[in-house]
Amino acid sequence: MGWNYPDISLEEMMKLIKGFVDILILASGYQSSGLLAHWDSDNIKRAFHWALFFENVFRRLRSLDVYRESLEELDAALFEMASRPSFPQGLAHLSSATLRRARGYMLEHLLHNLPLRDSHLKAILTSTIEMDLSALSETEHDCLNAYLNKLTLQNRLCMGNLFTSSLDVTPTMETEDSGSDNFTKLAVQELFRRQSAVSCISTIEEGVNILSNAVRQSSWTESDCSLFREKMKHESLPALLQSADASVAVFTWNQWKSRALSYFLDKRTIRLVSGASLIFSGTKVQWGKVFGQLNFSEKDSNCDIHEAIELLLLGCIASRWNYIIEHLTSVSYDSVTISKQYHMLANSDFGKSQTFNQKEDIMKSKEAGILDFLMGLLGGQVHLLWKSSPALTAISLPSWSPLFRLYLSEIDTQFKGNPSTMRCCSCIQDWNEHKDCELAERIWCLYIFHVCGAQMIHGTCGA
Ligand SMILES: *[C@@H]1O[C@H](CO)[C@@H](O)[C@H](O)[C@H]1NC(C)=O
Ligand SMILES: *[C@@H]1O[C@H](CO)[C@@H](O)[C@H](O)[C@H]1NC(C)=O
């Protein structure tokens, strides 16, 4: 039987929905060119009318059993449309159920975009109130008074809920009967949701800030000091001198550790992580297009290739940020020398015997896509990776990737002082061991992530 709604054909309905999708994209704040979308109360009202239209149609379709197959047919067509790689990921769950609450959905997009400018908020509120006033004017003689009375009632209900702390700020996704809701109620709901999200974020930011300041101030931790003191007590002086000479000094170890932690806790890094996680949640075709449009060069500050590399590397670890912080805070000092660390890295057969479960496979293929792209961007200039934080490079390159091998072989070149396009330290010329130079730090980072934290690298503990 299929589609049997008399007023409009399925093709036409899909065309209208595509138009609605375009409005929703603009409602999220930006035009496809990346410029800010312009919204005034008139075009917001137009968008609201579209939303009302869809709600009415879909309520009707839903309420009568004869249209059940129509809805199924439409949902199949919507699913097909949303699965196309060019379809915006943020709207991927669009269905007849979403369209049945199109007003709330539209308001969600209008009110959750960042940043919510004053003029934008004012336009949304104006159109919200005007829509409700005009609906009331159909039944009420004095619609303004009627509106104010309803608003007072609504406010009282809302405050009551606040006091019993059961304010319902969850989206009305499942509630079937939001048909009686007005624009005002839906807008207030979304504003509460935005407010609670913002206060959540600022609490987290504050917490991370305190942590990051603490890390910066105390790179020499108490436990490591006492460990070292303990060691001094038990070992004879020559042995101690010997081991102190070859192994990484506690002070250096702690400096590297705090530098790595500070990088990951930095506000800028966290923003990049969240941006990367958003960008790479799309398909490779989508984010590839974004990066492909940029003309990277080492000199052009507008399209800094180093920032692009950083973003790609962060894209590989975005879902594992928590575990990285956890791991970094938990590794404690051990006295393995840099050259021993280097040999452990060089001789291990990373990943050769590994089997991945399905979740790991999906993550691996996503990472592989990002790393493939990075490989192309680097064009053989592995030394560009050395501009990124040593900890980031170490954790983001999985040992099964060709880039990891390349990075390791560059480390090898530097370690032995073989000819290379760059030289990261002067230890070899000065006849010194690599101990507290950049190369030593890079080896240390690889060591603590790939040797001491292998399960984290392979994402077995991450989501
Ligand atoms: C909106 O509708 C709710 C019921 O869904 C009602 O309690 C409230 O008073 C209404 N508010 C306005 C401003 O119409
Ligand atoms: C990219 O930038 C370089 C120099 O900055 C310029 O020579 C080249 O023509 C640009 N390519 C494109 C496609 O814009």
Side-chain angles (χ1 to χ4, degrees):
M1 214 164 63
W3 182 264
N4 62 348
Y5 190 66
D7 297 345
I8 190 169
S9 71
L10 181 60
E11 288 69 39
E12 278 173 281
M13 181 54 98
M14 287 303 291
K15 229 186 264 170
L16 293 180
I17 293 175
K18 274 181 200 144
F20 190 62
V21 165
D22 289 337
I23 301 175
L24 283 168
I25 294 171
L26 288 175
S28 305
Y30 294 94
Q31 305 175 32
S32 55
S33 60
L35 294 174
L36 281 178
H38 173 70
W39 285 99
D40 58 27
S41 60
D42 280 335
N43 48 36
I44 292 178
K45 274 200 283 189
R46 231 165 283 144
F48 282 166
H49 279 293
W50 272 110
L52 257 180
F53 163 78
F54 284 111
E55 278 197 17
N56 290 335
V57 171
F58 282 93
R59 289 239 161 75
R60 192 169 142 71
L61 281 171
R62 168 81 172 187
S63 66
L64 297 173
D65 207 37
V66 283
Y67 297 134
R68 214 187 47 231
E69 282 184 36
S70 294
L71 275 184
E72 282 168 10
E73 191 116 328
L74 183 101
D75 272 328
L78 281 178
F79 182 78
E80 204 263 329
M81 176 172 87
S83 318
R84 285 181 211 150
S86 60
F87 194 80
Q89 291 292 298
L91 303 174
H93 301 296
L94 193 70
S95 68
S96 61
T98 342
L99 290 164
R100 217 156 50 231
R101 48 173 287 272
R103 287 177 304 164
Y105 199 55
M106 176 59 80
L107 273 163
E108 198 178 308
H109 285 266
L110 282 168
L111 283 171
H112 288 268
N113 73 36
L114 287 171
L116 185 57
R117 286 159 298 147
D118 283 353
S119 58
H120 185 65
L121 180 61
K122 197 168 150 195
I124 297 171
L125 295 180
T126 308
S127 19
T128 298
I129 296 169
E130 283 178 3
M131 289 300 284
D132 282 350
L133 280 179
S134 118
L136 281 172
S137 71
E138 284 169 20
T139 54
E140 304 282 341
H141 168 62
D142 181 358
C143 62
L144 184 59
N145 243 327
Y147 178 79
L148 290 175
N149 286 340
K150 279 174 178 281
L151 194 60
T152 316
L153 189 72
Q154 179 180 332
N155 203 22
R156 214 172 284 147
L157 277 176
C158 186
M159 291 320 278
N161 284 343
L162 266 184
F163 285 128
T164 56
S165 70
S166 64
L167 180 68
D168 181 18
V169 289
T170 49
T172 47
M173 181 71 88
E174 315 306 339
T175 44
E176 277 305 317
D177 207 13
S178 60
S180 61
D181 281 350
N182 39 59
F183 279 95
T184 306
K185 186 180 168 195
L186 296 170
V188 168
Q189 234 166 29
E190 287 311 322
L191 282 170
F192 269 123
R193 282 182 63 215
R194 183 179 167 112
Q195 194 188 26
S196 75
V198 168
S199 83
C200 215
I201 290 170
S202 65
T203 309
I204 293 169
E205 256 182 17
E206 222 170 282
V208 169
N209 225 349
I210 292 170
L211 192 57
S212 137
N213 284 338
V215 166
R216 226 170 283 130
Q217 278 161 15
S218 68
S219 55
W220 176 278
T221 69
E222 192 48 44
S223 64
D224 288 330
C225 283
S226 54
L227 198 86
F228 200 63
R229 256 186 256 119
E230 198 60 24
K231 203 170 162 181
M232 299 240 309
K233 257 191 262 162
H234 293 302
E235 283 180 51
S236 61
L237 201 57
L240 183 71
L241 277 182
Q242 210 177 23
S243 83
D245 188 43
S247 62
V248 181
V250 183
F251 177 71
T252 312
W253 175 287
N254 279 314
Q255 254 189 339
W256 290 339
K257 179 170 158 177
S258 91
R259 197 140 62 206
L261 258 175
S262 297
Y263 172 76
F264 285 110
L265 290 174
D266 191 74
K267 209 170 185 170
R268 174 182 170 276
T269 313
I270 292 176
R271 293 218 166 122
L272 285 176
V273 167
S274 103
S277 131
L278 189 71
I279 292 172
F280 297 111
S281 67
T283 60
K284 191 177 177 189
V285 177
Q286 282 178 321
W287 61 256
K289 214 163 90 187
V290 174
F291 276 92
Q293 281 164 353
L294 303 172
N295 184 9
F296 296 111
S297 74
E298 229 177 317
K299 287 165 202 82
D300 183 357
S301 57
N302 283 330
C303 265
D304 192 323
I305 192 167
H306 301 301
E307 283 193 345
I309 292 171
E310 192 179 6
L311 200 61
L312 288 159
L313 292 177
L314 287 171
C316 295
I317 58 115
S319 60
R320 278 179 289 148
W321 185 88
N322 286 3
Y323 296 98
I324 293 169
I325 302 293
E326 228 169 85
H327 182 66
L328 270 173
T329 44
S330 68
V331 285
S332 54
Y333 180 74
D334 73 39
S335 55
V336 181
T337 65
I338 285 294
S339 94
K340 178 120 185 273
Q341 290 178 17
Y342 163 77
H343 287 294
M344 281 166 93
L345 283 164
N347 297 329
S348 61
D349 58 343
F350 294 116
K352 295 225 174 90
S353 60
Q354 244 164 17
T355 52
F356 295 91
N357 67 29
Q358 201 183 5
K359 191 166 126 206
E360 288 158 12
D361 264 341
I362 293 170
M363 209 165 99
K364 192 178 154 191
S365 82
K366 188 167 137 183
E367 277 175 35
I370 298 174
L371 293 169
D372 257 1
F373 187 88
L374 179 56
M375 187 83 135
L377 186 64
L378 293 175
Q381 301 167 276
V382 185
H383 66 90
L384 290 177
L385 281 179
W386 292 63
K387 283 272 165 59
S388 294
S389 140
L392 173 63
T393 319
I395 179 75
S396 57
L397 300 181
S399 52
W400 46 259
S401 67
L403 257 182
F404 179 81
R405 291 278 143 209
L406 278 178
Y407 185 57
L408 213 55
S409 84
E410 184 62 38
I411 295 253
D412 185 63
T413 308
Q414 298 289 327
F415 191 81
K416 293 176 180 148
N418 291 342
S420 170
T421 45
M422 57 135 200
R423 180 66 47 220
C424 73
C425 62
S426 58
C427 299
I428 299 275
Q429 283 118 288
D430 303 343
W431 301 94
N432 284 332
E433 261 190 78
H434 299 285
K435 252 175 69 184
D436 49 16
C437 58
E438 186 191 338
L439 181 71
E441 184 177 1
R442 287 189 180 272
I443 292 172
W444 177 83
C445 285
L446 285 167
Y447 170 76
I448 62 152
F449 285 126
H450 289 267
V451 178
C452 308
Q455 81 284 15
M456 177 185 50
I457 289 274
H458 303 301
T460 40
C461 60

